[in-house]
Amino acid sequence: MNPLIDVLLLDVDGVLLDYDGARRIRHLAEALCVPALRVSHALQAGGLDAAYDSGDVDTVGYLQRLSTALDADVDAPTWVAARVVASRPCDAVIQRVLALPPTLRIGLLTNNGPMMTEVLAQLLPTLCVRARGHILCSAMLGGRKPDPAVYLRALDWVKATPRRTLFIDDLFRNVRGARLAGLHAETADDGRSLGRVFKRYGLA
């Protein structure tokens, strides 16, 4: 017997978007006239992106620290533009999600900082409307997937219960974290695999 699902919680990168991190770095490097290796080190090796995604630094502090590390003026529009260029919507996945019954509540849960909401508004406008404001970046939840506490905080935000929520991610470690928090959770990374999950749970 299929569990009764009230809320569908979706990962972003790897499920709704194909994300090319190297392309983002190249775009930032060109826009700021800074070597790509320096950008990569500031964001990744320097741990700045992870700190932003976890909520350990806010947007103002993040942009200030990145500007200092690169000796360049990095503003929010520049950051957003690079993330948009590096991300491509997965049309087959989005079509399946938008075809679900309107009574099923939908939320997005991504390991990103608050500026990602602007990226999603540009790339996934229809889906963002369908999600009715339940666009949850990890920074606002004080941690990152796969920490089980992050999923529980996300459910508090959307007023849902674990046993009535289905979470989809392309990475099994994140699925495992969701299961530890009591959610139903499955892996999917394209329209076909997502369709199989929907059938399994009686959603399509």
Side-chain angles (χ1 to χ4, degrees), residues 86-139:
S87 308
R88 180 173 58 86
C90 301
D91 293 334
V93 170
I94 295 164
Q95 289 170 9
R96 286 189 182 274
V97 173
L98 292 177
L100 292 170
T103 52
L104 180 68
R105 293 195 289 140
I106 293 173
L108 310 185
L109 175 58
T110 178
N111 274 351
N112 274 287
M115 284 188 290
M116 190 63 181
T117 58
E118 176 57 31
V119 175
L120 296 175
Q122 291 188 34
L123 292 174
L124 307 173
T126 304
L127 187 54
C128 285
V129 171
R130 177 72 171 80
R132 300 169 188 168
H134 292 155
I135 314 297
L136 307 178
C137 293
S138 56

Side-chain angles (χ1 to χ4, degrees), residues 12-25:
V12 173
D13 292 325
V15 177
L16 297 170
L17 297 177
D18 285 328
Y19 171 55
D20 185 342
R23 187 174 184 188
R24 172 196 174 209
I25 287 170

